[in-house]
Amino acid sequence: MNDSTRTANDQSYDVETDIQSNTTLEPERAHLQLAIDGMTCQACASRIEKVLNKKPSVYEVSVNFAGETANVDYDPTQTTPEQVTDWVNKTGFVANLQAGDSLFAKTDKDTATEYPWRLIGLWICLVPFLVGMAGMLFGQGMSWMLPVWMQFVLATIVQFGLALPFYKSAWASIKGGLANMDVLVVIGTVTIWAYSTYLWLTHGDGTLNSLLQSGHGADGGPAVYFEAGVMVIAFVRTGKYLEERTKKHSLNSIDLLLSLTPDEVEQQQPNGDFHNVALQDVQIGNILRAKQGSRVATDGMVIGGSGWCVESHLTGESVPLKKEEGDGLLAGALVENGSLLYRVSAKGSDTKLGDMVQALSDAQGSKANLARLADRVTAVFVPVVVAIAIVTFGLTWWLTGMIDTALMHAVSVLVIACPCALGLATPAAIMAGMGVAARHGVWFKDAQSLEAAGNIDTVVLDKTGTLTIGKPTIVDNVMVDKLLAVDDVLQIAASVEAHASHPLATALINAATERNLPLMNVIDISVIKGAGIQANIEGLGLVKVGTAEFANLTLPKLMPKVWQIASTVAISINDEPLGAFALADDLKADTPQAITALQDSGINVILMSGDKQSVVDHVAGQLGIEQAYGKMSPRDKASQIALLQTAGHKVAMAGDGVNDAPAMATADASFAMFEGTDVAQHSASARLMGESLMHIDAAQKIAQATLRNIKQNLFFAFIYNCLGIPLAAFGFLNPMIAAAAMALSSISVLMNALRLTRFKTEVELHNTVSPSDMETQSSAKI
């Protein structure tokens, strides 16, 4: 990210006072996430949004049907999380707040894992009807079908007992002002039941004996359709059950992350012994032990033992890392070899894993722009379908004169037109795509960020800390007066640089520390944008550290070659130049591979740096980058990106410093490098949790695959309804087939989204290294 001419990149040099103010949330704005149970389709999510958006204390609401979550921004001075939860509960759903020390909010009951007694009861009632219908297939006519009175009993048990959740959901939906799919199911099945009951009750002479002796249509009994209503309810509920299981267990990456921490841990007691205790009872400062093959339960610091840990759940890189005394540990890390004693520094939602879970949950709960189209359609879908069903009933009755045929056509329209597939199309793909991205060490801020990353055609890269390791070292120096001691000049420069956070500043400070040079007290520190940093040191005067021009230094024309490819930091006192240091930084090991991968994908890669042009050209030449710009200030980078956008390009920016924030905010998509500054990470639309630049390639490819999946889902959902409704209206689909097709449509969308979970890129490395070779590889990387 940074430029090397010391100044133009230094984070302290380039801080703009409006960056912080532009990214800071309003003081009276709080964020809340709820886990919601009971949603049956996208209309349910829309209903919750509608109710909450009417509240004056709520700024913004986004409800994710597939993820069963709601993200709410509200005014904490006007309402409370408990009040928001109560508003949701009054709409007919169950909302739960995240516990303070938990990783994620969970519903009171898991409908995907509880034993499906109601569904079992439905199928028990359905079996006799299936037997009767099988008789027709085997040429037995209606002889295997139950007497009508028994059909009535079973259908009534199903309609007003086992199907009760449909009624509750439909009524709550109507009260909320938006009709969901359950309204269609209830209208259709109640109509079938009522019509069949009417035919049965009016058949014969109406006496009880006559009713009990009624056979079926073929035997002179009434031509009832009780089996149709029972089958519709059973098939729809089965589809919902399968849908819930798929969402909970296959698409939900959060559950997989939560399973990375053990329920019990080995805690050291005062006498030195270790006892198993529940993770929830562990406190900050406790000492825990993680053995080979176990997971680290909390964030912490190693205080004893050694071992190799895999942190791929956060970084996307499965190469084991050596952990020794003094090293940090992350919750969820797998101990592949060795045994570690560590002191707990953070637990639950305060861990890095907890942060990732919350970030992933927030991102999955957001909406991509493509989802807005589906939302607009589903908002008016049910009323339109009811109108089509009424027209179908009227026209069919008028044309055929057969009320039962007209009724079956109308019910088929109601059942086949379920908007579930449409509602699932986008959020299901987003859930899967976000999970895959997180597995590769890419944390997208929201669905819009993922969508933007999938459309980019240009990537702008900073140099220092992005293409390079970000740990430059002094490779040469030049002093104006040869009598000056290099250590003295370094001590002065480091004293001023101690108030900057740029990698070049860190390099000078580290060099001074290695030489045991104490830092001096400085005052009146100020940043000169695009030039450097200056401060007063008592007894010396005004010290300037930055570009050669800023320090009033003219370097000799005949300098060693290293000065052409290294960053320059010059120093002066009272505008009298003292000398300069040349600092060089190595490329990351896989930077060439990452650049090639991006270019092979048709992405135009551009290098922009504040470093001098000769350094930028040298790095660009090594990597095969054709467009490279040096001496770029933060505003220059942002302006150049804006020009690219004006030319029709979709631009992504990758950086890690404060000075990259304006460019990152301007770009369509942006990536904050691992361990980048808070401002950079706040400005970015995605965080890269590994040091490898291959994460950018992974992010782009995963985002593209997710967008393709969304478009496939939306196409299928639209085509399904466009074809299904006319077929049902013209009598080519009976209610039972329509119910089965409706269930299969939602499952098909979910199965298509599940394909994303198998997506792999070059970033997903496989550890094939034996423990004995780990240390050798680790040393080679360093």
Side-chain angles (χ1 to χ4, degrees):
M1 98 191 120
N2 295 329
D3 337 281
S4 243
T5 338
R6 248 309 325 208
T7 73
N9 310 305
D10 184 330
Q11 307 181 358
S12 63
Y13 301 166
D14 297 326
V15 171
E16 294 186 18
T17 56
D18 61 344
I19 294 177
Q20 297 277 7
S21 61
N22 286 342
T23 57
T24 301
L25 293 177
E26 299 175 17
E28 296 184 351
R29 190 182 185 100
H31 179 74
L32 169 68
Q33 186 174 76
L34 301 173
I36 300 178
D37 183 53
M39 291 191 294
T40 59
C41 71
Q42 183 59 39
C44 298
S46 300
R47 174 154 54 95
I48 297 173
E49 289 180 350
K50 180 179 178 181
V51 170
L52 293 183
N53 279 323
K54 288 181 178 179
K55 307 299 182 182
S57 56
V58 174
Y59 296 125
E60 186 177 359
V61 181
S62 177
V63 180
N64 184 335
F65 165 50
E68 298 184 343
T69 59
N71 287 300
V72 184
D73 287 342
Y74 66 98
D75 184 349
T77 64
Q78 296 187 40
T79 189
T80 64
E82 291 75 19
Q83 179 65 64
V84 175
T85 302
D86 186 56
W87 289 334
V88 175
N89 291 339
K90 287 181 179 179
T91 63
F93 304 98
V94 179
N96 291 270
L97 289 169
Q98 178 178 348
D101 59 351
S102 67
L103 286 180
F104 187 61
K106 293 186 177 181
T107 56
D108 290 337
K109 64 174 183 176
D110 187 348
T111 55
T113 57
E114 65 178 358
Y115 206 69
W117 292 109
R118 192 178 296 273
L119 180 60
I120 293 173
L122 281 171
W123 278 91
I124 290 175
C125 292
L126 178 61
V127 167
F129 292 104
L130 294 177
V131 172
M133 297 178 71
M136 291 185 286
L137 294 176
F138 289 106
Q140 300 300 314
M142 301 291 290
S143 61
W144 290 8
M145 188 66 75
L146 294 173
V148 177
W149 71 269
M150 293 184 67
Q151 295 182 45
F152 168 77
V153 171
L154 290 177
T156 303
I157 292 173
V158 169
Q159 191 70 50
F160 301 106
L162 298 175
L164 189 59
F166 287 94
Y167 288 87
K168 290 181 178 179
S169 174
W171 177 242
S173 175
I174 293 173
K175 286 197 303 181
L178 289 172
N180 63 7
M181 65 157 286
D182 290 335
V183 173
L184 300 180
V185 172
V186 168
I187 292 175
T189 57
V190 165
T191 302
I192 292 174
W193 179 89
Y195 179 67
S196 297
T197 301
Y198 169 78
L199 291 179
W200 173 54
L201 293 177
T202 57
H203 180 73
D205 57 14
T207 64
L208 179 60
N209 185 60
S210 173
L211 294 177
L212 293 178
Q213 290 183 355
S214 295
H216 29 71
D219 296 332
V224 295
Y225 301 92
F226 287 119
E227 75 280 359
V230 174
M231 289 187 71
V232 167
I233 292 172
F235 285 168
V236 172
R237 186 65 198 97
T238 301
K240 284 188 177 185
Y241 177 74
L242 295 175
E243 178 186 309
E244 288 166 358
R245 286 192 62 84
T246 303
K247 290 190 298 181
K248 293 280 187 180
H249 299 294
S250 301
L251 286 179
N252 196 348
S253 301
I254 291 176
D255 283 348
L256 296 177
L257 291 174
L258 295 178
S259 67
L260 293 178
T261 54
D263 294 327
E264 287 190 344
V265 294
E266 290 187 74
Q267 181 181 333
Q268 188 177 50
Q269 305 302 309
N271 62 2
D273 294 338
F274 286 88
H275 293 164
N276 287 339
V277 299
L279 177 58
Q280 61 185 16
D281 296 330
V282 171
Q283 303 299 321
I284 305 297
N286 287 164
I287 297 175
L288 307 180
R289 179 168 65 185
K291 298 178 181 178
Q292 180 177 346
S294 65
R295 293 275 183 180
V296 176
T298 68
D299 285 357
M301 181 72 68
V302 178
I303 61 172
S306 64
W308 293 85
C309 292
V310 176
E311 299 175 345
S312 58
H313 64 299
L314 291 177
T315 65
E317 299 171 355
S318 58
V319 177
L321 302 175
K322 183 68 177 294
K323 297 293 184 179
E324 298 176 313
E325 187 172 345
D327 291 336
L329 287 178
L330 298 178
L334 174 64
V335 182
E336 282 207 342
N337 191 32
S339 179
L340 301 167
L341 286 182
Y342 62 98
R343 189 182 304 278
V344 177
S345 60
K347 54 175 291 192
S349 58
D350 294 328
T351 63
K352 197 75 171 178
L353 175 62
D355 182 47
M356 178 181 185
V357 168
Q358 189 58 54
L360 178 59
S361 179
D362 287 343
Q364 289 182 340
S366 61
K367 289 185 179 179
N369 292 326
L370 285 172
R372 313 293 177 183
L373 173 62
D375 286 351
R376 287 194 294 269
V377 172
T378 54
V380 298
F381 196 78
V382 173
V384 171
V385 168
V386 172
I388 293 175
I390 293 173
V391 172
T392 298
F393 175 79
L395 287 177
T396 305
W397 190 8
W398 178 58
L399 293 174
T400 66
M402 302 173 63
I403 189 172
D404 54 347
T405 300
L407 182 63
M408 291 300 104
H409 289 193
V411 171
S412 296
V413 169
L414 291 174
V415 175
I416 195 68
C418 167
C420 276
L422 193 59
L424 282 170
T426 299
I430 290 295
M431 284 183 68
M434 291 287 189
V436 174
R439 193 179 74 216
H440 286 79
V442 181
W443 298 5
F444 283 104
K445 183 178 293 185
D446 49 37
Q448 292 92 332
S449 300
L450 182 143
E451 188 174 17
N455 291 318
I456 61 173
D457 57 32
T458 303
V459 172
V460 174
L461 301 173
D462 182 50
K463 183 178 70 67
T464 307
T466 303
L467 297 177
T468 64
I469 297 174
K471 297 180 180 179
T473 57
I474 298 175
V475 294
D476 199 5
N477 67 79
V478 60
M479 297 295 117
V480 173
D481 186 345
K482 296 188 180 299
L483 296 179
L484 284 174
V486 175
D487 282 1
D488 291 340
V489 178
L490 176 61
Q491 181 184 25
I492 295 171
S495 299
V496 177
E497 292 285 44
H499 300 274
S501 56
H502 184 272
L504 296 178
T506 303
L508 293 178
I509 297 168
N510 290 341
T513 302
E514 291 173 1
R515 302 184 192 188
N516 296 318
L517 302 176
L519 300 183
M520 306 177 189
N521 293 325
V522 301
I523 58 174
D524 301 330
I525 303 161
S526 61
V527 174
I528 309 301
K529 185 159 184 65
I533 184 172
Q534 66 182 27
N536 279 296
I537 297 180
E538 187 176 356
L540 293 178
L542 180 64
V543 177
K544 292 183 178 180
V545 183
T547 64
E549 294 84 355
F550 180 57
N552 199 29
L553 173 66
T554 301
L555 293 171
K557 292 183 179 180
L558 299 177
M559 295 287 286
K561 185 177 179 179
V562 68
W563 287 83
Q564 302 303 313
I565 60 174
S567 303
T568 302
V569 179
I571 304 96
S572 69
I573 296 179
N574 297 325
D575 289 329
E576 291 294 329
L578 299 181
F581 294 96
L583 295 94
D585 191 9
D586 294 330
L587 291 174
K588 294 177 180 177
D590 60 357
T591 292
Q593 178 189 4
I595 299 301
T596 300
L598 287 169
Q599 292 173 335
D600 288 346
S601 299
I603 303 296
N604 181 33
V605 180
I606 301 175
L607 174 58
M608 294 186 189
S609 173
D611 212 340
K612 57 188 179 184
Q613 191 65 49
S614 60
V615 176
V616 176
D617 289 340
H618 174 73
V619 172
Q622 287 181 294
L623 299 173
I625 299 176
E626 296 182 359
Q627 291 178 268
Y629 302 93
K631 289 194 173 182
M632 298 281 285
S633 69
R635 192 172 298 280
D636 292 337
K637 292 180 183 179
S639 299
Q640 187 63 37
I641 288 176
L643 288 176
L644 289 169
Q645 292 171 322
T646 302
H649 294 287
K650 298 295 183 181
V651 186
M653 169 70 189
D656 67 345
V658 174
N659 56 313
D660 294 315
M664 294 168 78
T666 303
D668 298 284
S670 52
F671 304 100
M673 301 304 296
F674 183 64
E675 293 185 345
T677 63
D678 290 342
V679 172
Q681 298 208 12
H682 187 83
S683 301
S685 57
R687 286 186 286 171
L688 308 182
M689 302 313 297
E691 297 180 355
S692 171
L693 202 63
M694 287 298 295
H695 286 74
I696 296 179
D697 179 64
Q700 187 266 337
K701 286 183 169 63
I702 292 169
Q704 276 193 337
T706 303
L707 288 183
R708 284 196 301 270
N709 197 279
I710 290 174
K711 292 173 182 177
Q712 291 165 0
N713 284 346
L714 287 173
F715 175 79
F716 172 78
F718 276 118
I719 290 298
Y720 166 81
N721 282 294
C722 289
L723 294 179
I725 293 176
L727 288 174
F730 286 104
F732 294 105
L733 297 175
N734 62 43
M736 292 81 80
I737 296 177
M742 183 210 69
L744 288 175
S745 68
S746 296
I747 299 300
S748 298
V749 166
L750 291 173
M751 292 301 105
N752 189 46
L754 276 177
R755 294 191 304 111
L756 284 172
T757 63
R758 299 191 296 271
F759 186 89
K760 293 182 180 180
T761 71
E762 297 176 54
V763 171
E764 196 167 24
L765 304 175
H766 295 281
N767 181 23
T768 57
V769 185
S770 62
S772 60
D773 296 330
M774 292 176 186
E775 190 156 1
T776 302
Q777 282 204 1
S778 180
S779 300
K781 284 181 68 180
I782 295 173

